[in-house]
Amino acid sequence: MSHAPSQPTDLISELLTGMRLHGVQYRRIQTGPTFGLGFSPKPGHAYFHYLAVGTAILRGADGSQHRLSAGDVVLLPRGEEHALLSGDEHPVQCLETIDAAPLGDAVSGIDTCPSTHAVPSAVLFHGCMVFDLGGMQGLSKVMPAVMLADGNGTQFPGLLPMVDAMKREVCSGRIGYAGILSRLADAVAAMIVRDWVERGCDGASGLVMAMRDPRLSLSLLALHRDPGRDWTVEALAAESNISRSVFADRFQTVIGTAPLRYVTELRMQLASQWLTHPSLPIEVVAERLGYASQAAFSRAYKRVIGHSPGATRRGRPLASP
C-alpha cells in the first residue's frame, strides 16, 4: 500500500470540510462616540465581530482587553461573555435589551448614535453562530477565547478582499446587503479557524500532532472518510502500516485517548451534526455510523453526549464530549 507524502495535509483538509458555522443572528450596529455593548455567554456558539469604522475595546470575561481598529475581525469560538466599549470605564448595556430593527432574514440593525451626530463614530457587523466542527469538535475546547485577525495585515492574505467587501456592504445599505454580509461572515470565520489549525493550534491539541504524524495521519484519514466501517485496533494499525501494539501506544500517547474510544466519540460528534437535519431519520444516522440497531446507537449516543438522539433532534443544545 503506497501513500502520497501529502497525507497529513489531506487529513487537515478532510477535517476542515466538516466545519459548519450556522448563522443564528446577525446585527449591523452603529454607535456614537461612547458606547458599551455586552454579550452574554452562549455555549456551543461562536461570536463574530467585524469593525468597519472606528475603534473599540474588546473586554473578555477575565478582564483581558484587545484594542480594535477599522478592518479588524474577531472570533470568539467558545461563545464566552464579553463586551465592546469605546473606553475602559464606559458602562455596559446587554445587547439583547437594545431595540433592533429587522433588516432581512436573521439580520437586524441597532443604532445608538445620537441624532446630534451626523456620522456614526463606530460601525460594526456582529454575528452569533452555532459553531459545529464536526469530527474536529474536540478542538473547540482548546481554542483561544479570542481569535483576532487584522484585516489589513499580512497574516491572512486572503482576508483583505473579503473584509473590503464586508465594509462596502456594511456602509452601502444596498438591497440584499444583510444576507451577503452573513455569508461573508461565515467564510471569514472559517478562514480564521483554518489558519489556527494550520499553524498547529498553538501546540494545544494532540489531534493536530496526530494530523501531522506521517503514520497516525493515515489511519485518521481512513477513519474520517469512513466512520461507519467496523473499525478495530488491528484495522486502524494496518492503515498506518505498523503493528497493533505500536499503533495503540502511539495513538494513546499523541492523542490522549484509546483508538476505539476516539472512533466512538467521532461517530457521536458526527451524529450530533447529522441529527440537526430533520430529513435524516435517526435509524439512517445509526446505519451510516455502523450500528446494527437504533437501540445500540442510542445507548452509545447517550453515554457520550449525555442525552438521547431524540433530545438533540428536538433542539436540545448540543453537548461536547
Side-chain angles (χ1 to χ4, degrees):
M1 181 185 302
S2 63
H3 296 278
S6 61
Q7 287 286 4
T9 301
D10 292 343
L11 176 59
I12 293 173
S13 297
E14 191 86 9
L15 296 182
L16 284 169
T17 60
M19 183 171 62
R20 298 290 184 273
L21 290 159
H22 304 289
V24 173
Q25 188 178 65
Y26 296 99
R27 290 188 177 95
R28 180 189 186 274
I29 304 170
Q30 57 184 38
T31 75
T34 60
F35 58 90
L37 305 172
F39 301 84
S40 58
K42 296 277 189 180
H45 292 67
Y47 278 116
F48 173 92
H49 303 297
Y50 165 59
L51 187 61
V53 175
T55 60
I57 297 172
L58 186 147
R59 185 172 67 203
D62 60 357
S64 60
Q65 294 190 357
H66 303 267
R67 296 192 175 272
L68 310 179
S69 57
D72 285 350
V73 178
V74 183
L75 181 69
L76 291 89
R78 299 202 296 268
E80 294 188 353
E81 180 182 7
H82 62 287
L84 290 174
L85 311 102
S86 57
D88 294 342
E89 305 302 324
H90 196 77
V92 174
Q93 181 179 3
C94 179
L95 191 74
E96 301 297 331
T97 66
I98 303 175
D99 291 337
L103 297 177
D105 186 24
V107 184
S108 57
I110 291 177
D111 188 352
T112 65
C113 183
S115 58
T116 53
H117 290 69
V119 179
S121 298
V123 179
L124 63 100
F125 185 70
H126 150 72
C128 181
M129 301 171 279
V130 173
F131 194 44
D132 186 351
L133 288 172
M136 294 195 302
Q137 200 64 39
L139 291 182
S140 63
K141 301 174 184 177
V142 296
M143 284 183 172
V146 177
M147 303 171 79
L148 174 62
D150 178 1
N152 300 310
T154 58
Q155 179 182 348
F156 299 85
L159 196 60
L160 183 58
M162 299 187 73
V163 169
D164 284 343
M166 290 188 74
K167 182 173 183 177
R168 286 195 299 272
E169 296 297 333
V170 167
C171 298
S172 70
R174 296 176 60 191
I175 293 174
Y177 81 93
I180 292 173
L181 272 170
S182 65
R183 288 166 175 77
L184 287 169
D186 286 352
V188 170
M191 290 177 67
I192 294 173
V193 173
R194 179 182 66 182
D195 177 79
W196 181 75
V197 171
E198 289 180 336
R199 287 187 291 108
C201 302
D202 301 327
S205 172
L207 176 56
V208 174
M209 292 175 61
M211 289 193 299
R212 299 183 183 280
D213 185 300
R215 292 289 186 181
L216 291 183
S217 64
L218 299 175
S219 58
L220 285 172
L221 183 60
L223 170 59
H224 281 262
R225 284 180 171 171
D226 189 9
R229 179 177 160 185
D230 184 16
W231 288 108
T232 63
V233 178
E234 289 84 357
L236 290 167
E239 293 290 338
S240 290
N241 293 316
I242 54 180
S243 71
R244 180 192 186 282
S245 60
V246 170
F247 172 81
D249 288 345
R250 193 165 177 171
F251 196 99
Q252 178 76 49
T253 299
V254 174
I255 296 184
T257 190
L260 295 187
R261 178 176 176 82
Y262 181 89
V263 172
T264 299
E265 291 186 349
L266 170 64
R267 287 171 173 170
M268 298 306 105
Q269 290 159 9
L270 292 171
S272 294
Q273 176 182 326
W274 295 349
L275 287 168
T276 62
H277 300 284
S279 61
L280 198 60
I282 294 176
E283 58 269 24
V284 173
V285 173
E287 182 181 354
R288 286 187 181 181
L289 292 174
Y291 288 88
S293 69
Q294 184 176 330
F297 165 71
S298 296
R299 287 194 297 270
Y301 189 89
K302 188 171 184 178
R303 184 175 68 251
V304 174
I305 301 298
H307 56 261
S308 68
T312 296
R313 173 57 52 84
R314 290 190 296 271
R316 179 170 176 169
L318 302 183
S320 296

